[in-house]
Amino acid sequence: MILKEIIDMVKNIAYGVLIALFIIKFIGGTAIVSQISMQTTLYDGDILWVEKITPTFGKLKRGDIITIYAPKIITGQGNTLVKRIVAVEGDHLLIKNGKVFVNGAAIEENYTKGDYTRPPNEPKNNDIIISSDYIYCLGDNRTDPIHDSRSMGEIDLNNITGRVLFRFYPLKKIGSLVNK
């Protein structure tokens, strides 16, 4: 009788672990902001809920905050970055006089830190038509030289690990980050 209860308990724990792993791998999980590149929207230490369904099956759009796997070659650390999509496949992006233009129009960006976007170090990342299955993303803090499309170029959709939906820490800033 005790052996049967132990076996049932082990099976239930195993099922729980499998369900948790499935959720983390395919549905979503958490991310912790560890840089200043998304200030004034996100700050170092913010804890986010990141869903993985939209990048896999849906359509990402301009303004979405996403997580990107950045290899060690690019960042020197091999970590996940949090950035904002500013241009999608087929868009013409230009950074000129500290402003970001998409398809000829300066984009409204009330979420950025300051009103100046530092130009890319690589001229080829400054005036570009976004390729099929790629996006162009920037941090909201545009004054510092930060790892985003200005230095990395277009981002392959396969490197996007999730779309940020919600901040649940710090508690005083809890809330949705969709369309922020």
Side-chain angles (χ1 to χ4, degrees):
M1 190 65 144
I2 292 177
L3 182 61
K4 184 180 183 309
E5 288 178 17
I6 291 172
I7 291 171
D8 284 345
M9 184 173 64
V10 168
K11 283 187 344 188
N12 287 334
I13 290 171
Y15 290 143
V17 168
L18 288 174
I19 290 169
L21 290 173
F22 177 81
I23 289 170
I24 291 168
K25 177 72 175 163
F26 298 106
I27 306 296
T30 60
I32 300 174
V33 177
S34 63
Q35 296 179 346
I36 63 167
S37 71
M38 284 298 292
Q39 288 180 0
T40 61
T41 306
L42 302 171
Y43 290 86
D44 190 42
D46 285 4
I47 301 176
L48 314 171
W49 175 256
V50 180
E51 63 92 2
K52 298 179 180 184
I53 296 171
T54 301
T56 304
F57 300 108
K59 187 164 177 90
L60 295 165
K61 61 186 185 314
R62 278 185 231 110
D64 282 347
I65 299 172
I66 57 169
T67 55
I68 305 162
Y69 174 72
K72 186 175 182 179
I73 296 168
I74 294 172
T75 64
Q77 300 169 359
N79 57 8
T80 300
L81 304 174
V82 180
K83 303 295 174 197
R84 184 182 301 273
I85 298 173
V86 295
V88 296
E89 174 180 319
D91 284 344
H92 175 223
L93 179 124
L94 172 67
I95 299 174
K96 183 177 178 182
N97 299 326
K99 299 284 184 203
V100 178
F101 295 85
V102 175
N103 300 325
I107 58 175
E108 192 73 32
E109 297 184 292
N110 57 355
Y111 44 77
T112 60
K113 183 175 184 179
D115 60 355
Y116 178 78
T117 298
R118 181 187 202 118
N121 294 337
E122 288 286 329
K124 67 179 182 177
N125 297 332
N126 188 49
D127 187 357
I128 186 170
I129 295 177
I130 310 306
S131 305
S132 179
D133 296 325
Y134 284 82
I135 57 149
Y136 195 99
C137 63
L138 298 171
D140 289 353
N141 180 355
R142 309 276 177 79
T143 57
D144 294 328
I146 293 174
H147 294 293
D148 59 21
S149 288
R150 291 174 292 175
S151 60
M152 298 185 298
E154 298 173 282
I155 305 297
D156 188 322
L157 292 176
N158 292 320
N159 288 338
I160 298 173
T161 58
R163 182 174 68 122
V164 176
L165 293 182
F166 195 79
R167 173 182 23 221
F168 58 91
Y169 182 85
L171 296 176
K172 66 183 177 183
K173 292 185 177 183
I174 195 168
S176 173
L177 290 167
V178 176
N179 299 321
K180 294 286 181 188

